[in-house]
Amino acid sequence: MTRVASLYLPQLAIERLRRLEQPTEPLEHVTAGPRFAPPVDDDPGACSVPRGGGWRPGARWARDGVLRHKPIEAEIDALPAHQRPSMREMGRRSEAAQHPFRAMPADEGGGSVSTPAIGWRRLWGRPTILISRTGQRDIVTSACPVALELGLRPGMAAAHARALVTELDVRDAEPDADRAWLDRLALHAVAHWTPTASVSGEDGLWLDLTGTTHLFGGEQRFCRRLLRFLERLGFTASIAIAGTPGAAHALARYGGEAVRLLPSGKETEALADFPLAALRLEPEALQGAARFGLERIADLYPMPRGPLARRLGLRAVQRLDQARGIVAEPLVPMVPFEAPRVERRLLEPIGTAEAIIQVIRDLVDDLVIMLQQRSLGLRTAHLACLIVDGSDQHIAIGTARATREPIHLKRMLSMRVERIDPGLGIEAMTLTAARVEALTAQTIEAGLGRDERPPDVAPLVDQLTGRIEPDRPFRLTSHESDVPERAVRRIGPLAKPLGWPRWRRPVRMLRHPEPLVHVVALMPDHPPRRFTWRGKAYRVVAGDGPERIHGEWWRSREELWAVRDYFRVEAEDGGRFWLFRRGDGVDEQTGNLSWFMHGIFG
């Protein structure tokens, strides 16, 4: 189920200007809480603390203002000289301490506590408007709350605004700076709130919250935290969450609420009473709708699609269907990092291996220059070939270590040219560094004529990976686990393995323990005398053990009482095996006393 949030900043331009004049905390230092904060119960049930007042029990005398600042100095002067405290004590006692019974903040339950409202004039001083030139006229694009109270509105001529208000602070609008701030906020959203965020118009954002709000305690709690985050930055905002971007956009701007949550599938009913401007229609479409007497979105529901498209345009029909969820509306996400990318468009289509390799070499040379400028090294590269008939051919390479060595990259891409089917001919080729890492210069110690550095095997690993399966070259490393099959992990071929345990383990460990049959053993602490594995009978001549291993009860409830007794045995033919018995032979809960083969020694 898709959930999209629309964040609306109605006073973005004017509040950004005030934020520059009155610096607040930087965006990077203001957070909306931990990324994976556990859900917090906003309704813990009955509590002795009054919800409305925000005062602790028994503090009515503090709430009513009984305790006030008393004239301490006058009382001290009225005392006899021998009863007056010393200067040290008097200085200590006369210091005003913060009252212990303070009203809680509004977001912690003290919302009804009356606080002195700070007037807009105190924040802004003179009425302020932003103007931009449209043709030969200066038009008001944004106005502060003081100017709005005086009757100034966006879209008004600047000369008319100056005539209405004499003491008016007129400044030029900066749409590029506003867009840069929105881009910065979208990047912050991608890093902290959701992987998909995009700019919505000139005063808002779209956030794809599908599968992410549970990390913040739910949609309601996420919206409150987001609004408090913007309030600390100095911006007013409203947010709406719905099943479609169009519905969320309309609810955030025309819903009249700071937070609006709409269940998926209710978009048609929720948008019925909204004006047609909520559908993001073009001005020509709005003028045409006004001529035909169409004012609300509900007026468009019964109309056939053909006449509606002729009167308002196909764009209006598409916006209506997108808002109702009939037609999908994709979001163009904000990408935090632009991957290095080079392209070659050919004058004539090519189809031979020699020509393709030559173009690949040119692409690699261009990509290496771009990587050097950014001090990056390539880990994964994608080569896309556009065929004349419109189809695509793709190949990819990966490196074990970040590199920008052109000869090595050309050799790896040339090894996979045979996988490209040119068809009728290739007319364009694109090489993209999908995964990169920082690669800077390294200091090489002087060896005084001796080169004791180990050889770099990364190119060899890359060539082997290109000839066989990409995940085949690997190393084994130990992992913290008591269960043997979990104590070994695969790592990259160039990764450094961790230390191995001191106890002996077989050279070859089976992927899964295999059952043994016809086992003869003396219970409970002796190795088996004979057993059958894979249809072959073995007679044991020597054995050692047991080594008892308990199950990891913190991983699975079934392993709470699990016990394995491992034995090292040697058969008559010289084979040495590592096998175990489930259970300790005493308590039935520890296992059913079945035997399994788990490994083979050298």
Side-chain angles (χ1 to χ4, degrees), residues 310-362:
R310 286 196 301 269
R311 295 177 181 179
L312 304 183
L314 291 175
R315 188 67 171 174
V317 178
Q318 182 183 12
R319 289 298 190 190
L320 178 62
D321 293 341
Q322 288 177 347
R324 300 174 63 185
I326 301 176
V327 177
E329 182 178 0
L331 301 180
V332 180
M334 176 67 67
V335 180
F337 175 79
E338 184 178 357
R341 179 176 178 271
V342 292
E343 185 179 8
R344 279 285 192 277
R345 292 194 172 273
L346 309 175
L347 296 177
E348 296 182 359
I350 61 175
T352 62
E354 293 78 8
I356 296 175
I357 292 176
Q358 182 60 43
V359 177
I360 288 177
R361 292 175 179 175
D362 297 337

Side-chain angles (χ1 to χ4, degrees), residues 53-68 99-103 113:
W55 296 93
R56 295 178 176 83
R60 181 179 301 174
W61 48 273
R63 180 188 62 192
D64 297 338
V66 177
L67 285 184
R68 298 177 181 175
H99 202 279
F101 295 94
R102 304 185 306 275
V113 179

Side-chain angles (χ1 to χ4, degrees), residues 42 60 69 74 79 136 232 301-302 305 309 332 421 435 493 542 599:
D42 294 330
R60 181 179 301 174
H69 182 68
L79 294 175
Q136 299 297 327
R232 290 195 296 272
Y301 292 164
R305 287 293 183 266
V332 180
D421 183 9
R435 180 186 174 191

Side-chain angles (χ1 to χ4, degrees), residues 220-252:
Q220 183 73 26
R221 185 171 177 81
F222 170 77
C223 294
R224 293 202 310 269
R225 296 173 66 179
L226 179 55
L227 294 181
R228 289 199 298 268
F229 167 79
L230 293 173
E231 183 181 357
R232 290 195 296 272
L233 290 176
F235 293 89
T236 57
S238 61
I239 184 173
I241 301 180
T244 62
H249 184 277
L251 291 172

Side-chain angles (χ1 to χ4, degrees), residues 25 32 49 69 148 158 211 257 290 314 328 359 382 392 404 408 427 449 468 499 547 554 572:
E25 193 170 356
V49 180
H69 182 68
L148 294 176
E257 302 178 10
L314 291 175
V359 177
H382 291 277
D392 295 334
R404 52 174 178 258
H408 179 55
E427 61 179 1
I468 59 179
E547 176 187 351
W554 58 90
E572 286 183 336

